Amino acid sequence: AQTVTQSQPEMSVQEAETVTLSCTYDTSESDYYLFWYKQPPSRQMILVIRQEAYKQQNATENRFSVNFQKAAKSFSLKISDSQLGDAAMYFCAYRSPLPDNYGQNFVFGPGTRLSVLP
Amino acid sequence: DTEVTQTPKHLVMGMTNKKSLKCEQHMGHRAMYWYKQKAKKPPELMFVYSYEKLSINESVPSRFSPECPNSSLLNLHLHALQPEDSALYLCASSQGVRGGYGYTFGSGTRLTVV
């Protein structure tokens, strides 16, 4: 079974600065997908960025970018020019291309709570 | 429409009550999910409904009962809940259970069992 680890339960960053959130995962699959989701206090989980394992190029979405190291099974999220609205819980997630017997193919990490200081 | 709509947003119920949570999407997604989330924890999968088939996490107690009236709606019926069932209940949808699609989540129902 796949596992996702986020070693930083909490982090803080000064407004306008850059912060990197860590994520590592364990899998024996060669084809999979990785995601970062953001959950602000409003509760809704919002997709931040998606990476396909077969693509070597790191995904970017505006101020958000990832450092995907497939051999090291690492998938960190970099937030540039941090804004107050970036304060949230961030979940790293792994998705297998095929579900298990229970229809499950999404594994979430434990989350990192990011605070943005003015 | 690119949203998953959940109602109600908040619910307080007694342990003898029967209530239902509603989830709706009009994106043509073929898979819908119910998750339970405790504070400061990741979501935990409860049910998956895809291609007219329901999959159940065996650890979910029978006091939770999903219902899928059509491909756009996924309800969660609640009966005889316990205080430990108080949590945020999230609904999500995906284009399919196969492939690399992400989930679109609703804003959740905050459930308190008293």
Side-chain angles (χ1 to χ4, degrees), chain A residues 15 29 38 44 69 86 89:
Chain A
E15 197 175 3
E29 297 177 322
K38 166 186 176 181
Q44 187 167 11
Q69 301 289 329
D86 294 333
M89 195 76 165

Side-chain angles (χ1 to χ4, degrees), chain B residues 61-75:
Chain B
S62 59
R63 54 186 183 265
F64 294 91
S65 173
E67 178 205 11
C68 195
N70 59 58
S71 59
S72 300
L73 269 175
L74 184 63
N75 300 323

